[in-house]
Amino acid sequence: MSMTTAPSPATAPVAGRWRQLVADWSSDRQAFQVSWGKAMMWIFLLSDTFIFSCFLIGYMTVRISSTIPWPNPSLVFGLKIGSTEVPLLLIAIMTFVLISSSGTMAMAVNFAYRRERVKAAILMIATAGFGVCFVSMQVFEWSKLILQEGVRPWGNPMGAPQFGSTFFMITGFHGLHVTAGVIYLITVAVRLLRGRYDAVGKSGGNYQIVEIAGLYWHFVDLVWVFIFALFYLW
């Protein structure tokens, strides 16, 4: 005759917590009171943080260890207005545009949680428009360096040959993120305007996707601050 041993009072709370953990993760809804969409975006952004950190640390290492003089960013990225060379003018405009887009994105999230989907969608499209302006200016910057200055990934006539490879790798990778973000924001905005998210959720609408898109966009803006400080101001 088999006998079953009842769990001791000390192990019962632990077993209960484990069962609750398994229930949370297997319910396909949320875990630790955070939606799956938001949790997965945070995990993605964490992995992206590691990648950008490796790029920037590699850039700093290459620049410090270079025996050939590094090009002066103020001269390389200057923009001529008439007969006057203005240092870092284009980069300053690009930074202003991208930082401004964080403001419109924050307002979009605010209106989304008020369930004013039209205003939220318009602000998301405006944010995407700022992103398009940023990428367009970056294309102009690349064209100027390649066609006029002769900068290449394997060298440049202004100094250390590693300048071209680090510049195109870091700014190109960030520009790819901005382009993907523009597509993402426009897609979510169109779905908002069509009322795709109105019937989702217990309260008659779930606009958390706007906040999730905002997390990605704010991350892209924050990364640019570090690129701007380390690449253009150093």
Side-chain angles (χ1 to χ4, degrees):
M1 183 176 179
S2 62
M3 297 179 61
T4 58
T5 303
S8 64
T11 59
V14 176
R17 288 196 293 268
W18 276 109
R19 283 195 294 269
Q20 183 61 45
L21 177 64
V22 172
D24 287 341
W25 282 84
S26 62
S27 63
D28 200 27
R29 292 185 179 179
Q30 65 180 22
F32 305 120
Q33 305 303 316
V34 178
S35 68
W36 277 111
K38 189 182 294 186
M40 291 302 103
M41 178 57 75
W42 276 115
I43 292 174
F44 168 74
L45 296 180
L46 180 62
S47 64
D48 233 16
T49 300
F50 293 148
I51 297 175
F52 275 108
S53 298
C54 290
F55 281 173
L56 291 175
I57 292 173
Y59 162 74
M60 290 187 290
T61 302
V62 168
R63 179 165 180 177
I64 292 173
S65 61
S66 176
T67 57
I68 303 175
W70 202 263
N72 187 347
S74 298
L75 300 178
V76 175
F77 301 108
L79 195 63
K80 183 172 291 187
I81 304 297
S83 58
T84 304
E85 187 79 17
V86 182
L88 299 177
L89 176 61
L90 181 63
I91 309 304
I93 297 175
M94 292 169 61
T95 303
F96 175 79
V97 167
L98 204 58
I99 297 303
S100 298
S101 69
S102 277
T104 55
M105 189 67 238
M107 289 189 289
V109 173
N110 185 29
F111 280 116
Y113 277 109
R114 293 182 186 179
R115 307 198 182 281
E116 299 183 32
R117 59 184 179 88
V118 175
K119 292 181 180 179
I122 291 174
L123 285 167
M124 291 186 74
I125 293 174
T127 304
F130 280 125
V132 171
C133 291
F134 177 86
V135 174
S136 300
M137 288 186 284
Q138 194 169 58
V139 170
F140 172 78
E141 178 190 36
W142 276 40
S143 302
K144 180 176 179 292
L145 289 176
I146 294 173
L147 300 177
Q148 298 183 16
E149 307 294 342
V151 178
R152 300 291 185 270
W154 51 86
N156 74 93
M158 295 175 289
Q162 298 92 337
F163 171 81
S165 59
T166 55
F167 171 77
F168 290 122
M169 178 182 66
I170 294 175
T171 60
F173 192 61
H174 179 267
L176 182 63
H177 277 70
V178 176
T179 303
V182 168
I183 298 173
Y184 185 25
L185 292 180
I186 292 176
T187 301
V188 174
V190 171
R191 289 161 70 97
L192 267 178
L193 290 174
R194 292 178 176 177
R196 183 67 178 270
Y197 306 110
D198 289 349
V200 181
K202 297 180 181 179
S203 57
N206 184 4
Y207 298 146
Q208 193 179 73
I209 184 65
V210 179
E211 181 185 2
I212 295 173
L215 290 175
Y216 176 86
W217 194 260
H218 292 316
F219 171 79
V220 171
D221 291 354
L222 179 61
V223 169
W224 177 254
V225 172
F226 286 96
I227 294 176
F228 176 76
L230 294 176
F231 211 102
Y232 296 97
L233 298 182
W234 184 12

